[in-house]
Amino acid sequence: MSRTATPAPAGKVIITCAVTGAIHTPTMSPHLPITPDEIAADAIGAAEAGAAILHLHARNPENGKPDQTPEAFARFLPRVKQGTNAAINITTGGSPYMKVEERVLPAATFKPEVASLNMGSINFGLFHLAPKYETFKFDWEKPHLEATRDLVFRNSFKDIEYILETCYGNGTRFEFECYDIAHLYNLAHFADRGLVKAPFFVQSVFGLLGGIGTHPEDVIHMKRTADRLFGSDFRWSVLGAGASQLRIAAQSAAMGGNVRVGLEDSLWAGKGKLATSSAEQVRMVRAIIEGLGLSIATPDEARAILSLKGGDNVGF
């Protein structure tokens, strides 16, 4: 593989914050941002707390359902850009129920500095969350969760190629979301073909039903495999789902990696305590990072580490 990347500065940790996502439903937390105003405020608050990158999804403001139309993103993207210097990352994952042509539209339209890219198909189980709630605020929520008993989140090689071909001409780089070890090998395949360029921003995802687990050995195995495949040509980050969020973030930071938090990944700020905002989780993980004698990367430092094109070169 022919790859080149400059070394990342020692002791700098990039915090990514994912503020709403498509997994949690409105019933699960009153603090989950749904409207454009709420998404913009939560994103800006997370940046003020120390997030260098903001990973953004959109929602239908009437019922909280995931919405992957460019029009939905247009309602908050300019406000987030104006309110913070953080790099903006637009999802191409959308929702597992969506086709790839729908999922890629916002990133293709707005040409962000970063877009997420799921690196393989997985069973995507959320059905185990449904029994936790006696009633739901909106009628779509329970069927949305229950249907994942028979849901494969499709990210075929053809789908990945489609997203790469659609977005790379815009100068957008990718947060490569890897839910299992095979996804690292898929990324290596695309690197061998010259379709992705170093430095690779590898986001290892732990704890979703259908993907790799949350044991410390799982985290080590993911990092060890990425080291072997990509050497110095990748920047590693982790997200832990639910209660494992901060534990896995601490392990990554201690191993020289980066971290992702936010209400997309976990609704919690300690056992039995709902986080009131994504910013609360950013402050918590920042305290862990700084307690380890490390420091958080500013947005411009993150841009340099990941070779991003800069906020002046986006389409919003």
Side-chain angles (χ1 to χ4, degrees), residues 137-150:
K137 187 175 181 180
F138 297 106
D139 58 8
W140 68 269
E141 296 179 70
K142 187 173 182 179
H144 168 85
L145 299 172
E146 290 284 6
T148 64
R149 292 180 187 275
D150 192 32

Side-chain angles (χ1 to χ4, degrees), residues 108-125:
T109 301
F110 297 112
K111 305 174 177 60
E113 293 186 74
V114 188
S116 66
L117 179 53
N118 300 78
M119 290 309 297
S121 301
I122 59 167
N123 292 335
F124 202 88

Side-chain angles (χ1 to χ4, degrees), residues 66-270:
D67 185 344
Q68 199 67 3
T69 61
E71 292 77 13
F73 283 80
R75 297 184 186 111
F76 57 78
L77 283 177
R79 280 189 277 172
V80 175
K81 182 184 176 185
Q82 291 163 11
T84 175
N85 185 42
I88 293 176
N89 174 340
I90 295 178
T91 180
T92 70
S95 165
Y97 293 101
M98 299 173 180
K99 293 184 177 180
V100 68
E101 293 83 1
E102 179 183 2
R103 288 161 42 193
V104 79
L105 272 178
T109 301
F110 297 112
K111 305 174 177 60
E113 293 186 74
V114 188
S116 66
L117 179 53
N118 300 78
M119 290 309 297
S121 301
I122 59 167
N123 292 335
F124 202 88
L126 306 175
F127 56 88
H128 60 295
L129 300 176
K132 297 178 184 292
Y133 305 92
E134 292 184 5
T135 60
F136 287 88
K137 187 175 181 180
F138 297 106
D139 58 8
W140 68 269
E141 296 179 70
K142 187 173 182 179
H144 168 85
L145 299 172
E146 290 284 6
T148 64
R149 292 180 187 275
D150 192 32
L151 177 67
V152 175
F153 186 12
R154 174 186 161 133
N155 294 283
S156 67
F157 289 109
K158 183 178 179 181
D159 292 342
I160 296 168
E161 288 169 354
Y162 179 78
I163 292 173
L164 290 172
E165 291 166 0
T166 302
C167 293
Y168 244 142
N170 298 330
T172 296
R173 294 183 67 83
F174 293 94
E175 173 197 23
F176 295 108
E177 295 194 355
C178 296
Y179 294 74
D180 219 330
I181 296 298
H183 296 180
L184 295 173
Y185 284 91
N186 291 348
L187 176 57
H189 164 80
F190 285 102
D192 285 343
R193 292 172 57 189
L195 296 180
V196 295
K197 308 296 181 185
F200 312 118
F201 185 31
V202 175
Q203 189 72 257
S204 296
V205 182
F206 300 91
L208 285 174
L209 184 59
I212 197 168
T214 62
H215 193 280
E217 288 293 335
D218 294 324
V219 180
I220 292 168
H221 183 38
M222 186 75 86
K223 176 63 161 57
R224 183 171 53 226
T225 304
D227 283 337
R228 176 164 45 79
L229 290 173
F230 307 117
S232 63
D233 290 337
F234 79 107
R235 307 289 174 254
W236 188 53
S237 184
V238 304
L239 73 89
S244 67
Q245 182 183 74
L246 292 178
R247 174 177 58 79
I248 287 178
Q251 185 176 355
S252 174
M255 294 170 66
N258 304 287
V259 302
R260 181 174 128 176
V261 294
L263 296 179
E264 172 175 353
D265 304 331
S266 173
L267 297 174
W268 305 100

